[in-house]
Amino acid sequence: GESVGLHLPTLSVQEGDNSIINCAYSNSASDYFIWYKQESGKGPQFIIDIRSNMDKRQGQRVTVLLNKTVKHLSLQIAATQPGDSAVYFCAENMRGSGGGADGLTFGKGTHLIIQP
Amino acid sequence: DAGITQSPRHKVTETGTPVTLRCHQTENHRYMYWYRQDPGHGLRLIHYSYGVKDTDKGEVSDGYSVSRSKTEDFLLTLESATSSQTSVYFCAISGGGRYTEAFFGQGTRLTVV
């Protein structure tokens, strides 16, 4: 089965509220994680990444939290806006050596719906 | 979109015909990838390239071949298209290195009838 997955296929939030999207991973050797956003009809867009030597990383309105103890990753979006409506999915890099992103494994995604 | 162009954007083809999808990048990135995206499966790696003429298989490579004769171009070929290859295909690029994100193109929607 998938080593990277999401807890909820759909998440509905009110505009202006904070959103939290979760992701579980099973490979303790994974040391690099990425969140992507995919709008309808478009390719995935990089949002934020985090290495396993960090617990938290912040970007503009987004925060990624990594809990290695329970192999859990979350994406927090502050003050959700209509433009945040999209599918969000996480990816992990399980490769133990250098190279490219060919070791990335992607979760299936959570559809974030913004209610007016 | 990180200087990635996929062509065509949409294609309908018949079972048994060959199909070639093209990915062109202007970022001079070393790595290029082809993924397919299907409902319930997420993104799955088909093939990737780590340099001109250097390619390797991904998770779902059966029925696909690739070629990279120039840094900027990565071609995906379906030698004899089947209905199971109906999908959305994404090209991605990365600069290489252990901690590197992949940047994606806009995708090609392929329908095999």
Side-chain angles (χ1 to χ4, degrees):
Chain A
E2 293 273 336
S3 65
V4 177
L6 294 162
H7 294 313
L8 292 173
T10 302
L11 176 65
S12 184
V13 298
Q14 292 291 125
E15 182 178 347
D17 286 352
N18 297 336
S19 302
I20 300 176
I21 301 170
N22 298 304
C23 180
Y25 66 96
S26 60
N27 193 324
S28 57
S30 296
D31 62 353
Y32 180 56
F33 305 87
I34 307 172
W35 279 101
Y36 284 93
K37 172 186 180 183
Q38 187 174 22
E39 297 175 274
S40 180
K42 296 186 177 181
Q45 177 185 3
F46 171 85
I47 302 174
I48 192 168
D49 59 358
I50 188 168
R51 299 187 188 187
S52 60
N53 61 353
M54 303 173 68
D55 296 323
K56 178 180 179 179
R57 190 164 189 224
Q58 288 183 293
Q60 187 175 12
R61 279 201 310 118
V62 295
T63 300
V64 56
L65 299 177
L66 177 62
N67 186 330
K68 295 179 286 296
T69 301
V70 294
K71 299 190 188 71
H72 184 267
L73 191 70
S74 68
L75 176 71
Q76 300 178 359
I77 304 173
T80 312
Q81 305 169 357
D84 294 328
S85 289
V87 174
Y88 291 82
F89 50 90
C90 58
E92 64 175 304
N93 196 333
M94 294 188 286
R95 291 293 173 90
S97 58
D102 53 281
L104 285 177
T105 299
F106 294 84
K108 294 185 177 67
T110 291
H111 185 195
L112 180 64
I113 298 171
I114 312 303
Q115 303 284 0
Chain B
D1 294 322
I4 307 170
T5 304
Q6 290 186 231
S7 58
R9 292 293 314 280
H10 301 272
K11 186 170 182 65
V12 179
T13 192
E14 293 186 349
T15 299
T17 61
V19 177
T20 295
L21 308 183
R22 179 177 182 249
C23 178
H24 178 80
Q25 61 144 331
T26 58
E27 305 297 320
N28 199 36
H29 278 348
R30 177 183 173 191
Y31 286 80
M32 298 186 74
Y33 313 84
W34 277 107
Y35 290 89
R36 61 179 289 174
Q37 186 175 43
D38 305 287
H41 289 280
L43 284 160
R44 293 181 292 175
L45 182 65
I46 305 171
H47 281 279
Y48 67 99
S49 169
Y50 47 95
V52 174
K53 293 187 169 58
D54 291 323
T55 65
D56 206 346
K57 295 179 180 180
E59 177 188 358
V60 290
S61 60
D62 287 348
Y64 302 94
S65 62
V66 291
S67 66
R68 191 169 179 198
S69 59
K70 297 186 290 185
T71 298
E72 58 266 35
D73 291 325
F74 193 33
L75 304 180
L76 176 71
T77 297
L78 291 65
E79 301 292 346
S80 178
T82 67
S83 59
S84 65
Q85 294 176 311
T86 292
S87 186
V88 180
Y89 291 86
F90 287 100
C91 174
I93 64 174
S94 73
R98 175 85 185 100
Y99 304 104
T100 181
E101 67 272 30
F103 297 98
F104 288 82
Q106 292 284 56
T108 294
R109 182 172 293 277
L110 176 68
T111 303
V112 183
V113 298

